[in-house]
Amino acid sequence: MNKQPTRHSTLLAAAIGAVVLFGAVPQAAAQQDTERQTEKRENASNLRDNGRANSRRSKSEDGKKVENQYPNATRVAPDAKASSKGGAKLQKMMDAFNKEKPADARAQADAIIADTGLNPYERSFAAQIGFQVAYDADDNKAAIEYLKKAIDINGLDNNSHFDRMFVLAQLQLQEEQYAESLATMDRFLTESKSTKPEHLIVKGNALYRLERHAEAAKVIKAAIDASPDPKPEWQQLLMATYVESNQGAEAAKVAEAIAAKSPNDKRAQMNVAAVYSQSDMLDKAAVVLEKMRAAGQFTEDKDYRQLYSTYLNLDGKEKEAAGVINEGLEKGILKPDYQAYVALAQSYYFSDQAGKSIDAYKKAAPLAPDGETYLNLARVLWQEDRIPEAKEAAQQAISKGVKKPDDAKKILALKGK
């Protein structure tokens, strides 16, 4: 019987953020409803403020000049003002928007956008409102198109123009339009000349999603290095990028740095162990996981599975694997399923505890999807000269189905009752 434990490939415990919409909330597998609603309210509030100030875009409400967020931009900002004719249309649209009549606001926005007799500022501003209404309605496809119009019509001041472009890149990223997001970010960075880390990280994220890991790592690291307080999800993204590009040592450095800042954070510690495992530094992974087990941090089934799988992939650590499995089962944390019992059987077998291996195989075999586990049980019983039991197990193997029935038949043909 060959030793063939399956390598348990553990994904990074922390979800990697996909986007940061409007520079606010990290997007994981799915954004929390409450967080997204907060974003929507904040963005809608900003647009309402912009609407009330549509005729004085260069000044804030207290009369002070608005700070230019993109001082090095190559784009020359247009004269962003509403005409008397267009201003009235914008005001009507904003009234509907402020009174939370989205259908009316969107219809009026569409009419303004289509009216080529209005100036670019009026049409671009209307496209912003169309975007917000569509986004509020979870119509991201339409929201993206409105943002493109706001940008292409080219009527907004630089702050609004580039902010909308940045939002477009993030929304494209959220919608898994990774190539489009990267193209938008390349244009954004080229024209705005921004070097802000919160901008660079979105480009790095798009590169990561496109599996251009070497390029992604450089951009993400640049963003982190440029930030006085880089977000944990940025560091997790860099860590994942290093793992994907087979830079295990670099990934480990990032994981270790994150864990060092949060020694009691279970997820951070599990990430270190996962990176070590994926980088074939299994001995280090085992040390981290054992410290967590000793500290009472193993509270989930997957915790025990990660540690015993690590031990089964280390030479001479089968006895330790058995101890981990038994503890998990005794505490009722590790599920008593086929995988657990067959791992226990292997652990005992390769630590020269045949009797206990047989007991574990007897528990695993009935739960197995086929007869291969019964056949392994029959082999161990044969080795222990327990021929009648070996024959019974071999017959069970054939009944349940095995790849090589002849191996089971050889055991059935053994002399002895």
Side-chain angles (χ1 to χ4, degrees), residues 151-170:
I151 295 164
D152 292 343
I153 294 171
N154 200 35
L156 300 173
D157 62 273
N158 274 1
N159 283 356
S160 298
H161 179 82
F162 288 118
D163 286 350
R164 297 302 95 183
M165 195 181 296
F166 183 53
V167 171
L168 172 60
Q170 293 175 92

Side-chain angles (χ1 to χ4, degrees), residues 93 101-111 129-130 133-134 137 139 142 146:
M93 175 188 67
K101 297 180 178 180
D104 289 348
R106 184 168 175 176
Q108 291 171 43
D110 287 340
I129 298 301
V133 173
D139 186 356
Y146 278 117

Side-chain angles (χ1 to χ4, degrees), residues 84-96:
S84 57
K85 176 185 175 182
K89 292 180 180 291
L90 291 181
Q91 187 59 57
K92 184 178 180 182
M93 175 188 67
M94 289 306 301
D95 286 343

Side-chain angles (χ1 to χ4, degrees), residues 31 104 150 169 187 219 243 265 287 289 296 309 314 339 371 376 408:
Q31 192 176 37
D104 289 348
R187 177 184 173 186
V219 176
V243 169
D265 184 340
V287 170
L289 292 168
S309 297
L314 284 168
Q339 291 294 341
N376 280 339

Side-chain angles (χ1 to χ4, degrees), residues 165-166 169-170 172 180-190 198-200 202-203 206:
M165 195 181 296
F166 183 53
Q170 293 175 92
Q172 288 169 325
E180 293 86 347
S181 178
L182 179 59
T184 301
M185 280 309 302
D186 279 337
R187 177 184 173 186
F188 171 86
L189 293 169
T190 298
E198 60 267 30
H199 296 156
L200 293 175
V202 174
K203 177 177 179 177

Side-chain angles (χ1 to χ4, degrees), residues 37-236:
Q37 290 305 317
T38 297
E39 285 180 2
K40 288 180 176 181
R41 287 194 297 270
E42 289 175 351
N43 201 51
S45 177
N46 290 336
L47 284 175
R48 290 188 180 98
D49 289 343
N50 287 343
R52 287 191 288 267
N54 66 73
S55 64
R56 51 186 188 281
R57 298 287 297 172
S58 63
K59 292 185 179 181
S60 63
E61 297 216 356
D62 59 6
K64 293 181 181 179
K65 190 174 181 63
V66 174
E67 179 185 357
N68 182 3
Q69 299 293 327
Y70 304 94
N72 300 316
T74 58
R75 176 181 183 256
V76 177
D79 184 17
K81 292 182 180 179
S83 64
S84 57
K85 176 185 175 182
K89 292 180 180 291
L90 291 181
Q91 187 59 57
K92 184 178 180 182
M93 175 188 67
M94 289 306 301
D95 286 343
F97 184 66
N98 289 328
K99 292 177 181 178
E100 298 185 1
K101 297 180 178 180
D104 289 348
R106 184 168 175 176
Q108 291 171 43
D110 287 340
I112 294 171
I113 294 167
D115 188 348
T116 56
L118 298 178
N119 69 40
Y121 166 72
E122 294 158 345
R123 296 171 64 217
S124 290
F125 184 83
Q128 289 189 108
I129 298 301
F131 152 72
Q132 184 62 47
V133 173
Y135 181 71
D136 285 348
D138 292 324
D139 186 356
N140 287 349
K141 182 178 180 181
I144 286 172
E145 293 307 312
Y146 278 117
L147 285 172
K148 288 179 180 179
K149 289 175 182 178
I151 295 164
D152 292 343
I153 294 171
N154 200 35
L156 300 173
D157 62 273
N158 274 1
N159 283 356
S160 298
H161 179 82
F162 288 118
D163 286 350
R164 297 302 95 183
M165 195 181 296
F166 183 53
V167 171
L168 172 60
Q170 293 175 92
L171 196 53
Q172 288 169 325
L173 193 61
Q174 180 179 315
E175 292 300 300
E176 300 183 2
Q177 298 176 16
Y178 303 136
E180 293 86 347
S181 178
L182 179 59
T184 301
M185 280 309 302
D186 279 337
R187 177 184 173 186
F188 171 86
L189 293 169
T190 298
E191 294 181 6
S192 71
K193 299 299 180 183
S194 173
T195 57
K196 293 179 180 179
E198 60 267 30
H199 296 156
L200 293 175
I201 199 69
V202 174
K203 177 177 179 177
N205 204 332
L207 287 166
Y208 171 78
R209 304 294 167 178
L210 289 167
E211 299 183 4
R212 293 164 58 175
H213 298 124
E215 297 171 79
K218 291 180 181 179
V219 176
I220 297 166
K221 189 174 186 304
I224 291 172
D225 290 345
S227 174
D229 187 24
K231 296 180 179 181
E233 56 263 33
W234 298 3
Q235 294 170 320
Q236 290 161 5

